[in-house]
mmCIF file with all atom_site columns, all heavy atoms in Angstrom:
data_model
loop_
_atom_site.group_PDB
_atom_site.id
_atom_site.type_symbol
_atom_site.label_atom_id
_atom_site.label_alt_id
_atom_site.label_comp_id
_atom_site.label_asym_id
_atom_site.label_entity_id
_atom_site.label_seq_id
_atom_site.pdbx_PDB_ins_code
_atom_site.Cartn_x
_atom_site.Cartn_y
_atom_site.Cartn_z
_atom_site.occupancy
_atom_site.B_iso_or_equiv
_atom_site.pdbx_formal_charge
_atom_site.auth_seq_id
_atom_site.auth_comp_id
_atom_site.auth_asym_id
_atom_site.auth_atom_id
_atom_site.pdbx_PDB_model_num
ATOM 1   N N   . SER S 1 1  ? -9.127  79.113  57.101 1.00 94.00 ? 1  SER S N   1
ATOM 2   C CA  . SER S 1 1  ? -9.097  78.344  58.295 1.00 94.00 ? 1  SER S CA  1
ATOM 3   C C   . SER S 1 1  ? -7.847  78.523  59.123 1.00 94.00 ? 1  SER S C   1
ATOM 4   O O   . SER S 1 1  ? -7.830  78.443  60.335 1.00 94.00 ? 1  SER S O   1
ATOM 5   C CB  . SER S 1 1  ? -9.333  76.877  58.043 1.00 94.00 ? 1  SER S CB  1
ATOM 6   O OG  . SER S 1 1  ? -8.210  76.341  57.287 1.00 94.00 ? 1  SER S OG  1
ATOM 7   N N   . ASN S 1 2  ? -6.720  78.797  58.414 1.00 95.00 ? 2  ASN S N   1
ATOM 8   C CA  . ASN S 1 2  ? -5.477  78.950  59.193 1.00 95.00 ? 2  ASN S CA  1
ATOM 9   C C   . ASN S 1 2  ? -4.537  80.079  58.573 1.00 95.00 ? 2  ASN S C   1
ATOM 10  O O   . ASN S 1 2  ? -3.450  80.253  58.952 1.00 95.00 ? 2  ASN S O   1
ATOM 11  C CB  . ASN S 1 2  ? -4.705  77.678  59.340 1.00 95.00 ? 2  ASN S CB  1
ATOM 12  C CG  . ASN S 1 2  ? -4.176  77.121  58.026 1.00 95.00 ? 2  ASN S CG  1
ATOM 13  O OD1 . ASN S 1 2  ? -3.881  77.835  57.084 1.00 95.00 ? 2  ASN S OD1 1
ATOM 14  N ND2 . ASN S 1 2  ? -4.064  75.789  57.942 1.00 95.00 ? 2  ASN S ND2 1
ATOM 15  N N   . MET S 1 3  ? -5.051  80.698  57.528 1.00 94.00 ? 3  MET S N   1
ATOM 16  C CA  . MET S 1 3  ? -4.264  81.739  56.850 1.00 94.00 ? 3  MET S CA  1
ATOM 17  C C   . MET S 1 3  ? -4.256  83.055  57.672 1.00 94.00 ? 3  MET S C   1
ATOM 18  O O   . MET S 1 3  ? -5.266  83.325  58.332 1.00 94.00 ? 3  MET S O   1
ATOM 19  C CB  . MET S 1 3  ? -4.677  81.950  55.423 1.00 94.00 ? 3  MET S CB  1
ATOM 20  C CG  . MET S 1 3  ? -6.019  82.639  55.288 1.00 94.00 ? 3  MET S CG  1
ATOM 21  S SD  . MET S 1 3  ? -6.527  82.903  53.505 1.00 94.00 ? 3  MET S SD  1
ATOM 22  C CE  . MET S 1 3  ? -5.686  84.441  53.165 1.00 94.00 ? 3  MET S CE  1
ATOM 23  N N   . VAL S 1 4  ? -3.168  83.724  57.560 1.00 96.00 ? 4  VAL S N   1
ATOM 24  C CA  . VAL S 1 4  ? -3.111  85.100  58.109 1.00 96.00 ? 4  VAL S CA  1
ATOM 25  C C   . VAL S 1 4  ? -3.879  85.975  57.140 1.00 96.00 ? 4  VAL S C   1
ATOM 26  O O   . VAL S 1 4  ? -3.588  85.973  55.916 1.00 96.00 ? 4  VAL S O   1
ATOM 27  C CB  . VAL S 1 4  ? -1.622  85.536  58.242 1.00 96.00 ? 4  VAL S CB  1
ATOM 28  C CG1 . VAL S 1 4  ? -1.574  86.970  58.775 1.00 96.00 ? 4  VAL S CG1 1
ATOM 29  C CG2 . VAL S 1 4  ? -0.850  84.619  59.171 1.00 96.00 ? 4  VAL S CG2 1
ATOM 30  N N   . GLU S 1 5  ? -4.822  86.686  57.675 1.00 96.00 ? 5  GLU S N   1
ATOM 31  C CA  . GLU S 1 5  ? -5.705  87.576  56.886 1.00 96.00 ? 5  GLU S CA  1
ATOM 32  C C   . GLU S 1 5  ? -4.861  88.489  56.029 1.00 96.00 ? 5  GLU S C   1
ATOM 33  O O   . GLU S 1 5  ? -3.867  89.050  56.490 1.00 96.00 ? 5  GLU S O   1
ATOM 34  C CB  . GLU S 1 5  ? -6.547  88.346  57.887 1.00 96.00 ? 5  GLU S CB  1
ATOM 35  C CG  . GLU S 1 5  ? -7.410  89.399  57.231 1.00 96.00 ? 5  GLU S CG  1
ATOM 36  C CD  . GLU S 1 5  ? -8.218  90.215  58.251 1.00 96.00 ? 5  GLU S CD  1
ATOM 37  O OE1 . GLU S 1 5  ? -7.712  90.411  59.409 1.00 96.00 ? 5  GLU S OE1 1
ATOM 38  O OE2 . GLU S 1 5  ? -9.272  90.702  57.928 1.00 96.00 ? 5  GLU S OE2 1
ATOM 39  N N   . ILE S 1 6  ? -5.295  88.676  54.801 1.00 96.00 ? 6  ILE S N   1
ATOM 40  C CA  . ILE S 1 6  ? -4.588  89.628  53.885 1.00 96.00 ? 6  ILE S CA  1
ATOM 41  C C   . ILE S 1 6  ? -5.646  90.613  53.410 1.00 96.00 ? 6  ILE S C   1
ATOM 42  O O   . ILE S 1 6  ? -6.803  90.366  53.278 1.00 96.00 ? 6  ILE S O   1
ATOM 43  C CB  . ILE S 1 6  ? -3.894  88.913  52.710 1.00 96.00 ? 6  ILE S CB  1
ATOM 44  C CG1 . ILE S 1 6  ? -4.836  88.040  51.895 1.00 96.00 ? 6  ILE S CG1 1
ATOM 45  C CG2 . ILE S 1 6  ? -2.723  88.123  53.177 1.00 96.00 ? 6  ILE S CG2 1
ATOM 46  C CD1 . ILE S 1 6  ? -4.175  87.412  50.671 1.00 96.00 ? 6  ILE S CD1 1
ATOM 47  N N   . TRP S 1 7  ? -5.089  91.797  53.015 1.00 97.00 ? 7  TRP S N   1
ATOM 48  C CA  . TRP S 1 7  ? -5.915  92.921  52.512 1.00 97.00 ? 7  TRP S CA  1
ATOM 49  C C   . TRP S 1 7  ? -5.314  93.321  51.156 1.00 97.00 ? 7  TRP S C   1
ATOM 50  O O   . TRP S 1 7  ? -4.098  93.244  50.944 1.00 97.00 ? 7  TRP S O   1
ATOM 51  C CB  . TRP S 1 7  ? -5.885  94.099  53.427 1.00 97.00 ? 7  TRP S CB  1
ATOM 52  C CG  . TRP S 1 7  ? -6.711  93.944  54.688 1.00 97.00 ? 7  TRP S CG  1
ATOM 53  C CD1 . TRP S 1 7  ? -6.632  92.995  55.627 1.00 97.00 ? 7  TRP S CD1 1
ATOM 54  C CD2 . TRP S 1 7  ? -7.787  94.806  55.110 1.00 97.00 ? 7  TRP S CD2 1
ATOM 55  N NE1 . TRP S 1 7  ? -7.584  93.204  56.576 1.00 97.00 ? 7  TRP S NE1 1
ATOM 56  C CE2 . TRP S 1 7  ? -8.308  94.307  56.275 1.00 97.00 ? 7  TRP S CE2 1
ATOM 57  C CE3 . TRP S 1 7  ? -8.287  95.973  54.555 1.00 97.00 ? 7  TRP S CE3 1
ATOM 58  C CZ2 . TRP S 1 7  ? -9.296  94.940  56.975 1.00 97.00 ? 7  TRP S CZ2 1
ATOM 59  C CZ3 . TRP S 1 7  ? -9.359  96.576  55.230 1.00 97.00 ? 7  TRP S CZ3 1
ATOM 60  C CH2 . TRP S 1 7  ? -9.838  96.080  56.429 1.00 97.00 ? 7  TRP S CH2 1
ATOM 61  N N   . SER S 1 8  ? -6.219  93.887  50.316 1.00 97.00 ? 8  SER S N   1
ATOM 62  C CA  . SER S 1 8  ? -5.716  94.442  49.050 1.00 97.00 ? 8  SER S CA  1
ATOM 63  C C   . SER S 1 8  ? -4.794  95.637  49.365 1.00 97.00 ? 8  SER S C   1
ATOM 64  O O   . SER S 1 8  ? -4.940  96.340  50.362 1.00 97.00 ? 8  SER S O   1
ATOM 65  C CB  . SER S 1 8  ? -6.849  94.930  48.149 1.00 97.00 ? 8  SER S CB  1
ATOM 66  O OG  . SER S 1 8  ? -7.699  95.792  48.814 1.00 97.00 ? 8  SER S OG  1
ATOM 67  N N   . ALA S 1 9  ? -3.814  95.837  48.502 1.00 96.00 ? 9  ALA S N   1
ATOM 68  C CA  . ALA S 1 9  ? -2.819  96.912  48.713 1.00 96.00 ? 9  ALA S CA  1
ATOM 69  C C   . ALA S 1 9  ? -3.451  98.320  48.715 1.00 96.00 ? 9  ALA S C   1
ATOM 70  O O   . ALA S 1 9  ? -2.984  99.141  49.453 1.00 96.00 ? 9  ALA S O   1
ATOM 71  C CB  . ALA S 1 9  ? -1.714  96.840  47.687 1.00 96.00 ? 9  ALA S CB  1
ATOM 72  N N   . THR S 1 10 ? -4.468  98.415  47.914 1.00 97.00 ? 10 THR S N   1
ATOM 73  C CA  . THR S 1 10 ? -5.238  99.690  47.788 1.00 97.00 ? 10 THR S CA  1
ATOM 74  C C   . THR S 1 10 ? -6.671  99.412  47.663 1.00 97.00 ? 10 THR S C   1
ATOM 75  O O   . THR S 1 10 ? -7.080  98.236  47.436 1.00 97.00 ? 10 THR S O   1
ATOM 76  C CB  . THR S 1 10 ? -4.778  100.478 46.518 1.00 97.00 ? 10 THR S CB  1
ATOM 77  O OG1 . THR S 1 10 ? -5.040  99.662  45.366 1.00 97.00 ? 10 THR S OG1 1
ATOM 78  C CG2 . THR S 1 10 ? -3.330  100.861 46.594 1.00 97.00 ? 10 THR S CG2 1
ATOM 79  N N   . ALA S 1 11 ? -7.512  100.405 47.892 1.00 97.00 ? 11 ALA S N   1
ATOM 80  C CA  . ALA S 1 11 ? -8.946  100.295 47.641 1.00 97.00 ? 11 ALA S CA  1
ATOM 81  C C   . ALA S 1 11 ? -9.189  100.033 46.207 1.00 97.00 ? 11 ALA S C   1
ATOM 82  O O   . ALA S 1 11 ? -8.501  100.523 45.287 1.00 97.00 ? 11 ALA S O   1
ATOM 83  C CB  . ALA S 1 11 ? -9.666  101.572 48.100 1.00 97.00 ? 11 ALA S CB  1
ATOM 84  N N   . GLN S 1 12 ? -10.192 99.141  45.929 1.00 97.00 ? 12 GLN S N   1
ATOM 85  C CA  . GLN S 1 12 ? -10.549 98.755  44.569 1.00 97.00 ? 12 GLN S CA  1
ATOM 86  C C   . GLN S 1 12 ? -11.941 99.255  44.252 1.00 97.00 ? 12 GLN S C   1
ATOM 87  O O   . GLN S 1 12 ? -12.810 99.289  45.112 1.00 97.00 ? 12 GLN S O   1
ATOM 88  C CB  . GLN S 1 12 ? -10.515 97.249  44.440 1.00 97.00 ? 12 GLN S CB  1
ATOM 89  C CG  . GLN S 1 12 ? -9.143  96.625  44.721 1.00 97.00 ? 12 GLN S CG  1
ATOM 90  C CD  . GLN S 1 12 ? -8.111  97.106  43.791 1.00 97.00 ? 12 GLN S CD  1
ATOM 91  O OE1 . GLN S 1 12 ? -8.209  96.987  42.531 1.00 97.00 ? 12 GLN S OE1 1
ATOM 92  N NE2 . GLN S 1 12 ? -7.060  97.731  44.268 1.00 97.00 ? 12 GLN S NE2 1
ATOM 93  N N   . THR S 1 13 ? -12.158 99.653  43.002 1.00 95.00 ? 13 THR S N   1
ATOM 94  C CA  . THR S 1 13 ? -13.465 100.138 42.571 1.00 95.00 ? 13 THR S CA  1
ATOM 95  C C   . THR S 1 13 ? -14.339 99.007  42.212 1.00 95.00 ? 13 THR S C   1
ATOM 96  O O   . THR S 1 13 ? -13.997 98.152  41.318 1.00 95.00 ? 13 THR S O   1
ATOM 97  C CB  . THR S 1 13 ? -13.329 101.122 41.402 1.00 95.00 ? 13 THR S CB  1
ATOM 98  O OG1 . THR S 1 13 ? -12.473 102.260 41.769 1.00 95.00 ? 13 THR S OG1 1
ATOM 99  C CG2 . THR S 1 13 ? -14.683 101.673 40.950 1.00 95.00 ? 13 THR S CG2 1
ATOM 100 N N   . ILE S 1 14 ? -15.459 98.946  42.829 1.00 91.00 ? 14 ILE S N   1
ATOM 101 C CA  . ILE S 1 14 ? -16.548 97.906  42.579 1.00 91.00 ? 14 ILE S CA  1
ATOM 102 C C   . ILE S 1 14 ? -17.622 98.628  41.845 1.00 91.00 ? 14 ILE S C   1
ATOM 103 O O   . ILE S 1 14 ? -18.133 99.665  42.348 1.00 91.00 ? 14 ILE S O   1
ATOM 104 C CB  . ILE S 1 14 ? -16.999 97.233  43.852 1.00 91.00 ? 14 ILE S CB  1
ATOM 105 C CG1 . ILE S 1 14 ? -15.908 96.704  44.728 1.00 91.00 ? 14 ILE S CG1 1
ATOM 106 C CG2 . ILE S 1 14 ? -18.034 96.200  43.518 1.00 91.00 ? 14 ILE S CG2 1
ATOM 107 C CD1 . ILE S 1 14 ? -15.217 95.467  44.118 1.00 91.00 ? 14 ILE S CD1 1
ATOM 108 N N   . GLY S 1 15 ? -18.069 98.092  40.727 1.00 87.00 ? 15 GLY S N   1
ATOM 109 C CA  . GLY S 1 15 ? -19.147 98.701  39.998 1.00 87.00 ? 15 GLY S CA  1
ATOM 110 C C   . GLY S 1 15 ? -19.906 97.700  39.247 1.00 87.00 ? 15 GLY S C   1
ATOM 111 O O   . GLY S 1 15 ? -20.121 96.543  39.694 1.00 87.00 ? 15 GLY S O   1
ATOM 112 N N   . SER S 1 16 ? -20.501 98.123  38.081 1.00 83.00 ? 16 SER S N   1
ATOM 113 C CA  . SER S 1 16 ? -21.316 97.153  37.327 1.00 83.00 ? 16 SER S CA  1
ATOM 114 C C   . SER S 1 16 ? -20.443 96.151  36.561 1.00 83.00 ? 16 SER S C   1
ATOM 115 O O   . SER S 1 16 ? -20.985 95.114  36.222 1.00 83.00 ? 16 SER S O   1
ATOM 116 C CB  . SER S 1 16 ? -22.148 98.016  36.310 1.00 83.00 ? 16 SER S CB  1
ATOM 117 O OG  . SER S 1 16 ? -21.313 98.731  35.425 1.00 83.00 ? 16 SER S OG  1
ATOM 118 N N   . THR S 1 17 ? -19.159 96.398  36.404 1.00 84.00 ? 17 THR S N   1
ATOM 119 C CA  . THR S 1 17 ? -18.258 95.464  35.724 1.00 84.00 ? 17 THR S CA  1
ATOM 120 C C   . THR S 1 17 ? -17.604 94.582  36.830 1.00 84.00 ? 17 THR S C   1
ATOM 121 O O   . THR S 1 17 ? -17.115 95.120  37.834 1.00 84.00 ? 17 THR S O   1
ATOM 122 C CB  . THR S 1 17 ? -17.202 96.158  34.938 1.00 84.00 ? 17 THR S CB  1
ATOM 123 O OG1 . THR S 1 17 ? -17.795 97.060  34.008 1.00 84.00 ? 17 THR S OG1 1
ATOM 124 C CG2 . THR S 1 17 ? -16.279 95.173  34.258 1.00 84.00 ? 17 THR S CG2 1
ATOM 125 N N   . PRO S 1 18 ? -17.630 93.318  36.671 1.00 84.00 ? 18 PRO S N   1
ATOM 126 C CA  . PRO S 1 18 ? -17.028 92.409  37.694 1.00 84.00 ? 18 PRO S CA  1
ATOM 127 C C   . PRO S 1 18 ? -15.507 92.817  37.828 1.00 84.00 ? 18 PRO S C   1
ATOM 128 O O   . PRO S 1 18 ? -14.812 93.074  36.906 1.00 84.00 ? 18 PRO S O   1
ATOM 129 C CB  . PRO S 1 18 ? -17.094 91.015  37.047 1.00 84.00 ? 18 PRO S CB  1
ATOM 130 C CG  . PRO S 1 18 ? -18.279 91.118  36.130 1.00 84.00 ? 18 PRO S CG  1
ATOM 131 C CD  . PRO S 1 18 ? -18.213 92.478  35.544 1.00 84.00 ? 18 PRO S CD  1
ATOM 132 N N   . LEU S 1 19 ? -15.041 92.767  39.120 1.00 91.00 ? 19 LEU S N   1
ATOM 133 C CA  . LEU S 1 19 ? -13.692 93.028  39.424 1.00 91.00 ? 19 LEU S CA  1
ATOM 134 C C   . LEU S 1 19 ? -12.896 91.727  39.555 1.00 91.00 ? 19 LEU S C   1
ATOM 135 O O   . LEU S 1 19 ? -13.395 90.784  40.129 1.00 91.00 ? 19 LEU S O   1
ATOM 136 C CB  . LEU S 1 19 ? -13.598 93.813  40.782 1.00 91.00 ? 19 LEU S CB  1
ATOM 137 C CG  . LEU S 1 19 ? -12.251 93.967  41.346 1.00 91.00 ? 19 LEU S CG  1
ATOM 138 C CD1 . LEU S 1 19 ? -11.436 94.988  40.490 1.00 91.00 ? 19 LEU S CD1 1
ATOM 139 C CD2 . LEU S 1 19 ? -12.265 94.429  42.810 1.00 91.00 ? 19 LEU S CD2 1
ATOM 140 N N   . SER S 1 20 ? -11.754 91.693  38.942 1.00 92.00 ? 20 SER S N   1
ATOM 141 C CA  . SER S 1 20 ? -10.826 90.599  39.102 1.00 92.00 ? 20 SER S CA  1
ATOM 142 C C   . SER S 1 20 ? -9.598  91.153  39.829 1.00 92.00 ? 20 SER S C   1
ATOM 143 O O   . SER S 1 20 ? -9.013  92.140  39.442 1.00 92.00 ? 20 SER S O   1
ATOM 144 C CB  . SER S 1 20 ? -10.382 90.036  37.760 1.00 92.00 ? 20 SER S CB  1
ATOM 145 O OG  . SER S 1 20 ? -9.496  89.012  37.882 1.00 92.00 ? 20 SER S OG  1
ATOM 146 N N   . TYR S 1 21 ? -9.241  90.506  41.017 1.00 94.00 ? 21 TYR S N   1
ATOM 147 C CA  . TYR S 1 21 ? -8.107  90.947  41.804 1.00 94.00 ? 21 TYR S CA  1
ATOM 148 C C   . TYR S 1 21 ? -7.179  89.744  42.057 1.00 94.00 ? 21 TYR S C   1
ATOM 149 O O   . TYR S 1 21 ? -7.698  88.656  42.504 1.00 94.00 ? 21 TYR S O   1
ATOM 150 C CB  . TYR S 1 21 ? -8.542  91.558  43.094 1.00 94.00 ? 21 TYR S CB  1
ATOM 151 C CG  . TYR S 1 21 ? -7.489  92.314  43.773 1.00 94.00 ? 21 TYR S CG  1
ATOM 152 C CD1 . TYR S 1 21 ? -7.177  93.645  43.372 1.00 94.00 ? 21 TYR S CD1 1
ATOM 153 C CD2 . TYR S 1 21 ? -6.707  91.798  44.747 1.00 94.00 ? 21 TYR S CD2 1
ATOM 154 C CE1 . TYR S 1 21 ? -6.155  94.367  43.996 1.00 94.00 ? 21 TYR S CE1 1
ATOM 155 C CE2 . TYR S 1 21 ? -5.675  92.517  45.403 1.00 94.00 ? 21 TYR S CE2 1
ATOM 156 C CZ  . TYR S 1 21 ? -5.441  93.801  44.990 1.00 94.00 ? 21 TYR S CZ  1
ATOM 157 O OH  . TYR S 1 21 ? -4.405  94.491  45.553 1.00 94.00 ? 21 TYR S OH  1
ATOM 158 N N   . ASP S 1 22 ? -5.885  89.892  41.771 1.00 91.00 ? 22 ASP S N   1
ATOM 159 C CA  . ASP S 1 22 ? -4.974  88.813  41.859 1.00 91.00 ? 22 ASP S CA  1
ATOM 160 C C   . ASP S 1 22 ? -4.072  88.967  43.103 1.00 91.00 ? 22 ASP S C   1
ATOM 161 O O   . ASP S 1 22 ? -3.064  89.706  43.013 1.00 91.00 ? 22 ASP S O   1
ATOM 162 C CB  . ASP S 1 22 ? -4.123  88.709  40.615 1.00 91.00 ? 22 ASP S CB  1
ATOM 163 C CG  . ASP S 1 22 ? -3.178  87.508  40.597 1.00 91.00 ? 22 ASP S CG  1
ATOM 164 O OD1 . ASP S 1 22 ? -3.165  86.786  41.560 1.00 91.00 ? 22 ASP S OD1 1
ATOM 165 O OD2 . ASP S 1 22 ? -2.439  87.401  39.629 1.00 91.00 ? 22 ASP S OD2 1
ATOM 166 N N   . PHE S 1 23 ? -4.408  88.391  44.205 1.00 89.00 ? 23 PHE S N   1
ATOM 167 C CA  . PHE S 1 23 ? -3.569  88.547  45.397 1.00 89.00 ? 23 PHE S CA  1
ATOM 168 C C   . PHE S 1 23 ? -2.232  87.782  45.273 1.00 89.00 ? 23 PHE S C   1
ATOM 169 O O   . PHE S 1 23 ? -1.338  88.001  46.075 1.00 89.00 ? 23 PHE S O   1
ATOM 170 C CB  . PHE S 1 23 ? -4.337  87.906  46.601 1.00 89.00 ? 23 PHE S CB  1
ATOM 171 C CG  . PHE S 1 23 ? -5.170  88.879  47.315 1.00 89.00 ? 23 PHE S CG  1
ATOM 172 C CD1 . PHE S 1 23 ? -6.582  88.864  47.099 1.00 89.00 ? 23 PHE S CD1 1
ATOM 173 C CD2 . PHE S 1 23 ? -4.722  89.839  48.199 1.00 89.00 ? 23 PHE S CD2 1
ATOM 174 C CE1 . PHE S 1 23 ? -7.413  89.778  47.753 1.00 89.00 ? 23 PHE S CE1 1
ATOM 175 C CE2 . PHE S 1 23 ? -5.536  90.747  48.853 1.00 89.00 ? 23 PHE S CE2 1
ATOM 176 C CZ  . PHE S 1 23 ? -6.892  90.703  48.632 1.00 89.00 ? 23 PHE S CZ  1
ATOM 177 N N   . SER S 1 24 ? -2.061  86.950  44.239 1.00 85.00 ? 24 SER S N   1
ATOM 178 C CA  . SER S 1 24 ? -0.820  86.220  44.064 1.00 85.00 ? 24 SER S CA  1
ATOM 179 C C   . SER S 1 24 ? 0.222   87.035  43.391 1.00 85.00 ? 24 SER S C   1
ATOM 180 O O   . SER S 1 24 ? 1.344   86.556  43.185 1.00 85.00 ? 24 SER S O   1
ATOM 181 C CB  . SER S 1 24 ? -1.009  84.915  43.414 1.00 85.00 ? 24 SER S CB  1
ATOM 182 O OG  . SER S 1 24 ? -1.386  85.117  42.063 1.00 85.00 ? 24 SER S OG  1
ATOM 183 N N   . ALA S 1 25 ? -0.143  88.297  42.902 1.00 85.00 ? 25 ALA S N   1
ATOM 184 C CA  . ALA S 1 25 ? 0.878   89.119  42.248 1.00 85.00 ? 25 ALA S CA  1
ATOM 185 C C   . ALA S 1 25 ? 1.665   89.946  43.184 1.00 85.00 ? 25 ALA S C   1
ATOM 186 O O   . ALA S 1 25 ? 1.204   90.300  44.321 1.00 85.00 ? 25 ALA S O   1
ATOM 187 C CB  . ALA S 1 25 ? 0.091   90.025  41.291 1.00 85.00 ? 25 ALA S CB  1
ATOM 188 N N   . ASP S 1 26 ? 2.924   90.218  42.841 1.00 85.00 ? 26 ASP S N   1
ATOM 189 C CA  . ASP S 1 26 ? 3.801   91.063  43.709 1.00 85.00 ? 26 ASP S CA  1
ATOM 190 C C   . ASP S 1 26 ? 3.125   92.452  43.920 1.00 85.00 ? 26 ASP S C   1
ATOM 191 O O   . ASP S 1 26 ? 2.655   93.122  42.981 1.00 85.00 ? 26 ASP S O   1
ATOM 192 C CB  . ASP S 1 26 ? 5.143   91.255  42.935 1.00 85.00 ? 26 ASP S CB  1
ATOM 193 C CG  . ASP S 1 26 ? 6.167   91.871  43.828 1.00 85.00 ? 26 ASP S CG  1
ATOM 194 O OD1 . ASP S 1 26 ? 5.953   91.962  45.074 1.00 85.00 ? 26 ASP S OD1 1
ATOM 195 O OD2 . ASP S 1 26 ? 7.217   92.363  43.264 1.00 85.00 ? 26 ASP S OD2 1
ATOM 196 N N   . GLY S 1 27 ? 3.064   92.884  45.129 1.00 91.00 ? 27 GLY S N   1
ATOM 197 C CA  . GLY S 1 27 ? 2.534   94.146  45.498 1.00 91.00 ? 27 GLY S CA  1
ATOM 198 C C   . GLY S 1 27 ? 1.035   94.187  45.669 1.00 91.00 ? 27 GLY S C   1
ATOM 199 O O   . GLY S 1 27 ? 0.474   95.280  45.842 1.00 91.00 ? 27 GLY S O   1
ATOM 200 N N   . ALA S 1 28 ? 0.319   93.087  45.474 1.00 92.00 ? 28 ALA S N   1
ATOM 201 C CA  . ALA S 1 28 ? -1.165  93.069  45.500 1.00 92.00 ? 28 ALA S CA  1
ATOM 202 C C   . ALA S 1 28 ? -1.721  93.120  46.901 1.00 92.00 ? 28 ALA S C   1
ATOM 203 O O   . ALA S 1 28 ? -2.801  93.589  47.149 1.00 92.00 ? 28 ALA S O   1
ATOM 204 C CB  . ALA S 1 28 ? -1.700  91.905  44.783 1.00 92.00 ? 28 ALA S CB  1
ATOM 205 N N   . ALA S 1 29 ? -0.928  92.624  47.864 1.00 94.00 ? 29 ALA S N   1
ATOM 206 C CA  . ALA S 1 29 ? -1.355  92.564  49.281 1.00 94.00 ? 29 ALA S CA  1
ATOM 207 C C   . ALA S 1 29 ? -0.879  93.780  50.068 1.00 94.00 ? 29 ALA S C   1
ATOM 208 O O   . ALA S 1 29 ? 0.298   94.164  49.875 1.00 94.00 ? 29 ALA S O   1
ATOM 209 C CB  . ALA S 1 29 ? -0.926  91.263  49.946 1.00 94.00 ? 29 ALA S CB  1
ATOM 210 N N   . TYR S 1 30 ? -1.655  94.327  50.934 1.00 96.00 ? 30 TYR S N   1
ATOM 211 C CA  . TYR S 1 30 ? -1.272  95.452  51.730 1.00 96.00 ? 30 TYR S CA  1
ATOM 212 C C   . TYR S 1 30 ? -0.135  95.094  52.671 1.00 96.00 ? 30 TYR S C   1
ATOM 213 O O   . TYR S 1 30 ? -0.159  93.987  53.222 1.00 96.00 ? 30 TYR S O   1
ATOM 214 C CB  . TYR S 1 30 ? -2.513  95.940  52.601 1.00 96.00 ? 30 TYR S CB  1
ATOM 215 C CG  . TYR S 1 30 ? -2.139  97.100  53.454 1.00 96.00 ? 30 TYR S CG  1
ATOM 216 C CD1 . TYR S 1 30 ? -2.112  98.400  52.939 1.00 96.00 ? 30 TYR S CD1 1
ATOM 217 C CD2 . TYR S 1 30 ? -1.739  96.859  54.761 1.00 96.00 ? 30 TYR S CD2 1
ATOM 218 C CE1 . TYR S 1 30 ? -1.752  99.457  53.766 1.00 96.00 ? 30 TYR S CE1 1
ATOM 219 C CE2 . TYR S 1 30 ? -1.368  97.946  55.545 1.00 96.00 ? 30 TYR S CE2 1
ATOM 220 C CZ  . TYR S 1 30 ? -1.310  99.228  55.083 1.00 96.00 ? 30 TYR S CZ  1
ATOM 221 O OH  . TYR S 1 30 ? -0.925  100.259 55.870 1.00 96.00 ? 30 TYR S OH  1
#
């Protein structure tokens, strides 16, 4: 609602295994 849009630092592979991505980690946001 008021956050500045963020993107993953790199492209992530989506497949048959669920992906877990932690935007709160250093270097995770583009």
Side-chain angles (χ1 to χ4, degrees):
S1 66
N2 66 31
M3 71 180 274
V4 176
E5 175 183 30
I6 56 175
W7 284 58
S8 57
T10 59
Q12 300 298 303
T13 301
I14 306 291
S16 58
T17 304
L19 172 69
S20 178
Y21 195 81
D22 184 2
F23 273 101
S24 69
D26 189 15
Y30 178 83

